[in-house]
Amino acid sequence: NKGIVIDHIKAGRGIKIFNYLGLDNADFTVALIMNAPSLKLGRKDIIKIENVIDIDYTVLGLIDPNITIDIIENEVIKEKINLKLPERVENAITCKNPRCITSIEKNAPQVFYLVDEKKGEYRCQYCDEASRLSEV
């Protein structure tokens, strides 16, 4: 009736999103469907949430940029959101350079910006250290 459907999740990544959103502690109905057949992806995961919750689309875009999010009201899709890799992320990737200011100053935010969308490559705002999503 009312809630959120997170669809087109690459098979196997649904549990990562489920845990990130803390849905294991939810006091409302939640469904995690894994390895569902998909014409587009072959196999996919789906999360159905029977409630409206705040979701950080930036982090979900990092986990899987091909996700679609449907906002449901009165059993109808009110809004459809297509995710992509975010241009800038804060405190979602950790800089691995031991000389970076973020390694020395514990309160410094970990800020990265997208430099190569095809490779999923981000660079640290402070020291320019590269990180790929496959490494995160």
Side-chain angles (χ1 to χ4, degrees), residues 82-95:
N82 293 308
L83 297 185
K84 61 179 186 164
L85 284 176
E87 294 293 322
R88 179 183 182 276
V89 293
E90 188 170 326
N91 296 327
I93 302 173
T94 303
C95 186

Side-chain angles (χ1 to χ4, degrees), residues 2-8 44 46-49 51-52 55 57 67-73 76-83:
K2 182 177 182 178
I4 299 170
V5 176
I6 305 172
D7 198 0
H8 300 105
K44 68 178 180 178
I46 305 166
I47 299 174
K48 295 182 176 188
I49 306 166
N51 197 359
V52 177
I55 296 176
Y57 299 131
I67 290 173
T68 59
I69 298 174
D70 297 329
I71 309 298
I72 311 295
E73 279 189 17
V76 176
I77 297 173
K78 177 186 172 196
E79 183 180 1
K80 185 178 213 65
I81 301 165
N82 293 308
L83 297 185

Side-chain angles (χ1 to χ4, degrees), residues 34-136:
M34 299 179 73
N35 293 312
S38 168
L39 294 175
K40 194 157 87 170
L41 301 172
R43 295 258 169 223
K44 68 178 180 178
D45 293 351
I46 305 166
I47 299 174
K48 295 182 176 188
I49 306 166
E50 197 174 295
N51 197 359
V52 177
I53 61 172
D54 288 329
I55 296 176
D56 184 352
Y57 299 131
T58 303
V59 174
L60 290 188
L62 275 175
I63 294 171
D64 189 343
N66 300 310
I67 290 173
T68 59
I69 298 174
D70 297 329
I71 309 298
I72 311 295
E73 279 189 17
N74 298 320
E75 298 181 8
V76 176
I77 297 173
K78 177 186 172 196
E79 183 180 1
K80 185 178 213 65
I81 301 165
N82 293 308
L83 297 185
K84 61 179 186 164
L85 284 176
E87 294 293 322
R88 179 183 182 276
V89 293
E90 188 170 326
N91 296 327
I93 302 173
T94 303
C95 186
K96 56 188 182 247
N97 179 356
R99 295 182 308 268
C100 181
I101 188 71
T102 60
S103 297
I104 300 163
E105 296 290 330
K106 297 302 175 200
N107 293 331
Q110 301 270 343
V111 180
F112 283 78
Y113 58 93
L114 182 64
V115 292
D116 191 332
E117 190 170 352
K118 287 189 183 210
K119 293 180 183 175
E121 183 175 288
Y122 283 83
R123 290 204 177 261
C124 177
Q125 175 178 299
Y126 304 103
C127 71
D128 211 36
E129 179 77 20
S131 287
R132 288 204 174 152
L133 287 181
S134 59
E135 301 167 350
V136 176

Side-chain angles (χ1 to χ4, degrees), residues 9-19 32-34 45-47 63:
I9 305 168
K10 186 175 181 179
R13 291 189 182 163
I15 192 72
K16 193 173 189 178
I17 293 169
F18 188 88
N19 291 334
L32 170 60
I33 302 163
M34 299 179 73
D45 293 351
I46 305 166
I47 299 174
I63 294 171

